[in-house]
Amino acid sequence: MKGITLPAWRGEHYVTLAELLVRLGSFGLDLTWRVEFDEIVDPRCVEMERRSAAGMDTLTLLSLTTPFLQLIDAEARGFAGDELVLVLTEFDSSLWDVRAFDEGVLSELRHHYPGAKDL
């Protein structure tokens, strides 16, 4: 997997997990997600962990992350079937690391987030 890191803050704007999911476009629609948190910051985090234990679809994950949900130390792993294809890791509400096998996903995110750097 290759990866990029990007600031979680763009000025006063926090880049949410929901925003990243939307930026994935059609690539992310058919993924199954497993989400883990080091710090529970909202009751929705508990529900996400519960639902993702068996794998949850992208639209369900998106519904649980909107409206605005700021995370602290969380990881969302996206699977195509049994294969891990994407990892979104949020560090201390300050950085997002995105790792993917598909370079197109990383290119799209670099386009939307000019501050992104290669890992």
Side-chain angles (χ1 to χ4, degrees):
M1 273 190 186
K2 292 184 177 184
I4 59 173
T5 188
L6 57 106
W9 290 92
R10 297 176 76 187
E12 297 291 317
H13 172 73
Y14 174 75
V15 177
T16 64
L17 177 58
E19 182 177 332
L20 290 176
L21 292 172
V22 169
R23 294 286 183 210
L24 295 174
S26 62
F27 175 83
L29 281 179
D30 293 329
L31 298 181
T32 301
W33 294 92
R34 291 188 176 79
V35 184
E36 295 177 356
F37 301 91
D38 287 342
E39 189 171 329
I40 302 294
V41 295
D42 186 285
R44 293 176 286 175
C45 297
V46 175
E47 182 66 9
M48 272 187 266
E49 280 192 329
R50 185 186 70 74
R51 287 188 182 204
S52 73
M56 110 178 83
D57 64 89
T58 301
L59 294 178
T60 300
L61 179 55
L62 188 57
S63 74
L64 290 169
T65 59
T66 54
F68 183 86
L69 175 62
Q70 182 176 339
L71 302 177
I72 300 173
D73 298 331
E75 183 171 87
R77 295 181 315 277
F79 293 83
D82 292 332
E83 183 181 352
L84 177 65
V85 296
L86 182 68
V87 181
L88 306 171
T89 307
E90 197 277 354
F91 295 102
D92 194 34
S93 286
S94 61
L95 291 172
W96 281 102
D97 282 0
V98 180
R99 292 173 304 210
F101 283 114
D102 187 329
E103 178 62 37
V105 170
L106 300 176
S107 293
E108 181 67 19
L109 292 175
R110 280 186 199 101
H111 172 74
H112 287 289
Y113 304 103
K117 298 185 184 333
D118 291 338
L119 287 174

